[in-house]
Amino acid sequence: MEHNEFINDFPILNEEMNGHRFVYLDSAATSLTPECVLEKMNEYYRHYGVNVHRGVYAFGAKADAEFEAVRDQVQCFIHAGSREEIVFTRGTTTAINQVAFGYVLPKLQPGDEIVTSMSEHHANFVPWQVIAQRSGATLRFAPLDQSGAVTAEALRSVMSEKTRFVALNHMSNVMSALNDVQALSQVAHEFGAEILIDGAQAIPHLRVDVQAIDCDFYAFSGHKMFGPTGVGVLYGKLICLQAMEPFEYGGAMIDQVCQVSTTYKDAPYRFETGTPMIAEVIGLGAAIRYVESLGYEYIQTRIEMLRAYAMEQLAQMPHVHVYNPHNYESATIAFNIVDVHSHDAVTVYDLEGVAIRAGHLCAQPMLSELEQGSLLRMSLQVYNTKADIDRFIAATKKASDFLDVLFL
Ligand SMILES: *Cc1c(COP(=O)(O)O)cnc(C)c1O
């Protein structure tokens, strides 16, 4: 079998699932975690695992230094203007909720409009729906093109002087279409609106430069870019963060607490309530180093090659319908096997030791656009190999045969 040079970096690749070598094709849900990230988190717990921002002893200072160094690292990684623009959150979902409830909702008036699209993950959809309902604002949807992307013209077609806020993805999680977020930010700003970019799918695959994009907010999760679960980042322009209200109140975010009133720390610390996810933030730092050591060009080239190899073979299979065939640079293939329910199909893959995703993919609005109740999605990451694709294709054949068995 083909040697996988990533086998030492990702110990989980040595596992078996249902009696077969584990083939992981669900990285758009969460990526596997490399040894260097596991090691860095262990090092924290083993050698200096105490709380941050309060220790008056050496280990506390060490934890603090390691934790805060990741803020600098993230600033550099996404090219933010200052370290104060980096807020650590539990993930993309929490970051978006913080902006929706702490920044946008307090400003909304009945009749105002928020613009999003039907290709958003539920995390970048439901919060806007809720704050629109609470404030009497209206949610509008930028139309999608064939590939599932929102173009600048499409966004412009739903913008007006009533638009207060725009929330769109950088790369969608079903079709994996890439949005030109720089152009989208420009359109939002032309109308005097602000824009949040959901970068959860983009950051594992391409270099993000928040100043070049000129977005007001950018959100992503650690666990889709080789980091641990439970940590993410909210980038916000300093002027926006300074105007944002906390979403949570309590320890760590306060300045002075008196019986009748409390003052808060400045951004970003005002938004980091209670004991943070210390090991996870430190692990995120190691994940960023891992991405940098591979380089985005390498990751992208390898994924494009693997996707093309898979697509070539799927094209020979008449029962397979692919929804995003021309998104060549994407890391996902969204498909269905005609007349086989995705939940039946995924059982076949599972028994073959191949992990892919089935269901609504946290994107029911997108599925309704595609007029599908459920989909299959295979998604790639740098540690996948041609041998993985061969296993995927073999399982796809088995799942299609399942159809023949049913009808014979
Ligand atoms: C996964 C994902 C999210 C949610 O991320 P969490 O880490 O679960 O909070 C949001 N948006 C997109 C596009 C995603 O792929």
Side-chain angles (χ1 to χ4, degrees):
M1 200 194 73
E2 176 191 6
H3 173 69
N4 185 352
E5 63 262 46
F6 286 95
I7 200 98
N8 294 327
D9 285 1
F10 294 88
I12 195 175
L13 293 175
N14 288 306
E15 295 289 321
E16 287 197 347
M17 187 169 81
N18 290 327
H20 301 274
R21 179 180 68 80
F22 175 52
V23 171
Y24 189 62
L25 294 170
D26 196 19
S27 295
T30 194
S31 54
L32 302 179
T33 316
E35 194 64 33
C36 57
V37 171
L38 302 175
E39 201 41 54
K40 189 73 192 169
M41 289 170 71
N42 260 340
E43 182 189 289
Y44 160 73
Y45 281 121
R46 288 219 170 99
H47 299 295
Y48 62 97
V50 302
N51 216 328
V52 290
H53 303 333
R54 24 172 103 52
V56 285
Y57 40 86
F59 284 1
K62 164 79 172 157
D64 235 13
E66 290 277 349
F67 183 91
E68 287 301 326
V70 180
R71 207 183 300 274
D72 297 320
Q73 236 189 309
V74 173
Q75 179 204 339
C76 236
F77 183 54
I78 62 171
H79 195 225
S82 78
R83 69 190 311 279
E84 282 75 31
E85 296 181 321
I86 307 301
V87 183
F88 291 121
T89 69
R90 204 170 62 73
T92 307
T93 307
T94 312
I96 296 172
N97 274 276
Q98 164 65 64
V99 175
F101 287 89
Y103 188 76
V104 185
L105 179 59
K107 299 207 263 194
L108 284 181
Q109 303 287 333
D112 285 349
E113 294 183 352
I114 305 169
V115 170
T116 183
S117 86
M118 294 291 273
S119 79
E120 302 308 316
H121 186 281
H122 294 158
N124 196 32
F125 195 89
V126 183
W128 308 115
Q129 202 173 44
V130 170
I131 67 166
Q133 282 161 359
R134 288 210 188 157
S135 62
T138 307
L139 205 53
R140 301 201 63 188
F141 304 97
L144 305 177
D145 72 8
Q146 277 287 308
S147 74
V150 175
T151 63
E153 298 67 47
L155 176 58
R156 190 171 278 117
S157 75
V158 292
M159 296 290 295
S160 76
E161 74 288 350
K162 291 190 236 154
T163 315
R164 292 289 157 267
F165 204 79
V166 177
L168 293 168
N169 64 66
H170 195 166
M171 190 184 266
S172 61
N173 68 315
V174 175
M175 304 286 271
S176 230
L178 183 63
N179 282 332
D180 180 350
V181 286
Q182 196 166 344
L184 297 176
S185 298
Q186 204 179 334
V187 172
H189 294 153
E190 273 170 35
F191 286 83
E194 288 160 309
I195 185 166
L196 172 140
I197 303 296
D198 170 0
Q201 288 297 333
I203 203 122
H205 298 290
L206 50 100
R207 179 158 299 286
V208 169
D209 181 332
V210 291
Q211 292 187 82
I213 297 169
D214 193 29
C215 53
D216 301 286
F217 295 98
Y218 194 97
F220 64 92
S221 297
H223 71 96
K224 290 183 181 174
M225 50 163 290
F226 309 113
T229 56
V231 62
V233 168
L234 172 65
Y235 156 81
K237 284 183 182 165
L238 200 51
I239 187 168
C240 297
L241 291 185
Q242 283 165 344
M244 185 161 79
E245 294 174 9
F247 179 47
E248 282 191 334
Y249 295 83
M253 49 83 75
I254 50 86
D255 180 24
Q256 288 283 326
V257 181
C258 304
Q259 202 169 357
V260 288
S261 69
T262 295
T263 57
Y264 311 120
K265 285 189 179 143
D266 289 335
Y269 310 103
R270 200 195 312 167
F271 307 111
E272 295 177 1
T273 323
T275 297
M277 36 293 169
I278 305 166
E280 289 77 5
V281 166
I282 292 171
L284 176 65
I288 292 173
R289 276 191 293 277
Y290 188 70
V291 171
E292 303 276 20
S293 75
L294 295 177
Y296 278 111
E297 296 70 21
Y298 177 78
I299 297 174
Q300 185 58 27
T301 308
R302 192 166 157 120
I303 289 173
E304 267 180 50
M305 178 276 288
L306 291 171
R307 189 181 190 278
Y309 181 63
M311 281 300 296
E312 224 169 81
Q313 297 176 74
L314 288 179
Q316 313 298 318
M317 303 171 76
H319 292 325
V320 174
H321 183 82
V322 176
Y323 297 95
N324 60 346
H326 305 303
N327 292 357
Y328 306 107
E329 292 172 4
S330 93
T332 75
I333 300 178
F335 67 106
N336 262 324
I337 301 172
V338 180
D339 291 333
V340 180
H341 193 277
S342 69
H343 285 128
D344 295 329
V346 84
T347 308
V348 177
Y349 289 94
D350 179 32
L351 291 173
E352 295 296 312
V354 178
I356 66 166
R357 186 74 192 277
H360 58 58
L361 310 178
C362 298
Q364 288 174 23
M366 185 67 219
L367 268 72
S368 76
E369 288 284 289
L370 295 170
E371 297 176 353
Q372 295 298 317
S374 74
L375 285 189
L376 294 166
R377 179 188 67 191
M378 72 85 103
S379 51
L380 296 156
Q381 199 28 285
V382 72
Y383 37 68
N384 288 123
T385 60
K386 280 186 158 180
D388 291 352
I389 303 295
D390 293 340
R391 289 272 305 280
F392 164 73
I393 294 294
T396 307
K397 286 199 177 117
K398 272 212 173 157
S400 312
D401 291 346
F402 187 73
L403 170 83
D404 297 334
V405 172
L406 285 180
F407 284 87
L408 281 178

